Amino acid sequence: MRIAAVLIALIMAAAPAAAQPAPARPIDWDALRDEAVQILSEYIRINTTNAPGNEKAGAEYLARILEREGIEAQILDEEVLGAGRANLYARLRGDGSKRAIALVHHIDVVPASPQHWTVDPFAGLVRDGYVWGRGAIDMKGDGVAHLMAMLALKRSGVPLTRDIVYIANADEELGSTGAVAFVDRHPELLRDVEYLITEGGDIALENGRLQFYGVGVAEKRTFWQRLRVAGTPSHGSRPTRENPVPRLVTALARIAAYETPLEVTAGVDKYFRDISRNYPEPRRGWLADVGAALAEPEAREWILSDVYWNAILRNTISLTVVTGSSKTNVIPAEAVAELDIRLLPTADPDSVLATLKALAADTAITWTTIMAPKTPLENPVDTELFRAIERAARERDPGALVTTPMFTAASDRPTYRKLGIITYGIDPFRVESGEHQKMMHGNDERISIENLGWGTRFIFDILRYAQ
Ligand SMILES: [Zn+2]
């Protein structure tokens, strides 16, 4: 996300004097980083563009690395995911005195258009200090940082009280069928898992300056609707009342003009309070009590002018698809529109839909849910894992802000959260916010070699401090 003109106040926070399970054998971090580069490059070369996914080849690649290290891995769910698709599961054993932590990433990537890239998106090129390719940040890079952190724990002999579970899922980018199949078919593999780390939290830099460490604890819920009006096709030269286009457009205009109510959920309230200290007055005061500020016109205007802040304070509705006739002189048989609705975790989908239908005020419209919302995702922050993240962050950046921005897109986290697992979004890389936005599903996706090493060590420390 992008927060304009934020200055980090350097408030020194003393690291808590927690236990620190130490490696029995030294770790050569430079060698580990180079190994990570090699693995990520090879992983990118396995083209897992979804559709069709082809995730089984990626899962097998990771399984070979794990098994070489003496960590047993299983390829699962091929029979339900379809040809060439699979999930991967592996577990590094601790002494079992505390519950496990799972590291989860998705193997699939979104399509790439090579003509818009300066390199081949599936060559796994290592050049100019970067590993280039589709999936470098979303999210094969995370998967490799998870893997290397786990291997470092094992190789160096850090005493573990918690098992470390490693999961790679198929199909996050399209249907989430990978995570859904895994959770539905293997709850016994997750029964002792207390915490889960996956994508959905940025370490935000702006012009090289750290803004905050974001830990994703909540996300919006995707709720897509299709609206259809049937009509009678005829020639455009003789207007009729049975033209479905004006009927649909009239309803859409009412929906487009509708301002959804504002609501400050608990995690979002904390996020604004946390970042408020980076702003001068009066903005500091506004953000420290965003609920009250939204009642003041000047504060409200400023807060809602940030598209990210606006999206975490309300249900949003984007009118995205509208189709009528394909010919100027033909009145079509139907007119169709699609709405990209994103709900706050607290929203009730039925009542939101009822409100929209009342606004549209036309019974000729057929409404179809084309994407139903997942389980609402909200997580506690007063946990051992959250404190481990804060500690690892502040060792790197003394006084760093560790906060809980809401994720406005969708991830596989609700699928795991359903089991009661505390799921945090952490993308362990320091990337310029603007650059991150551009590369995510965009062109010339890449991760710096330095970042890959940094992220591996960050995850390693989080896992170590959470023991
Ligand atoms: Zn992703």
Side-chain angles (χ1 to χ4, degrees), residues 1 20 22 42 106 137 139 199 229 244 264 334 338 391 421 429:
M1 74 246 15
Q20 185 171 334
E42 288 173 9
H106 58 83
I137 56 168
M139 71 174 289
E199 66 188 339
V229 178
V264 186
E334 64 169 16
E338 290 176 11
R391 179 174 170 192
I421 300 171
F429 304 122

Side-chain angles (χ1 to χ4, degrees), residues 170-300:
D171 196 34
E172 191 275 340
E173 297 287 4
L174 276 185
S176 282
T177 57
V180 168
F182 189 90
V183 166
D184 286 352
R185 304 179 81 230
H186 314 288
E188 75 287 353
L189 298 178
L190 295 163
R191 190 164 296 138
D192 71 327
V193 175
E194 182 172 13
Y195 300 115
L196 185 149
I197 292 173
T198 186
E199 66 188 339
D202 292 349
I203 301 170
L205 298 188
E206 252 174 50
N207 303 317
R209 186 191 286 270
L210 175 72
Q211 304 298 301
F212 54 77
Y213 282 70
V215 181
V217 299
E219 72 182 34
K220 299 286 286 284
R221 302 159 75 198
T222 309
F223 183 39
W224 292 349
Q225 290 292 320
R226 180 176 291 133
L227 286 67
R228 181 177 172 273
V229 178
T232 307
S234 57
H235 199 278
S237 65
R238 297 181 181 185
T240 72
R241 289 182 185 281
E242 283 73 49
N243 183 349
V245 178
R247 279 195 89 144
L248 183 63
V249 166
T250 304
L252 292 176
R254 286 195 282 262
I255 291 169
Y258 171 55
E259 287 193 25
T260 55
L262 295 164
E263 186 189 335
V264 186
T265 57
V268 167
D269 193 36
K270 171 177 157 47
Y271 161 73
F272 280 116
R273 240 183 301 118
D274 286 342
I275 64 168
S276 68
R277 70 184 201 209
N278 299 335
Y279 291 81
E281 290 293 354
R283 293 175 173 183
R284 174 184 300 224
W286 293 344
L287 296 179
D289 186 355
V290 82
L294 289 171
E296 290 176 37
E298 194 193 343
R300 177 190 164 102

Side-chain angles (χ1 to χ4, degrees), residues 45 67-68 83 87 97 118 150 154 161 186-188 198 222 231 242 266 289 293 325 339 348 368 372:
R45 260 179 265 163
E67 280 172 354
R68 209 166 59 207
N87 291 316
S97 59
T118 51
M150 188 163 154
K154 179 158 198 298
T161 53
H186 314 288
E188 75 287 353
T198 186
T222 309
E242 283 73 49
D289 186 355
S325 180
L339 303 176
D348 171 34
T368 311

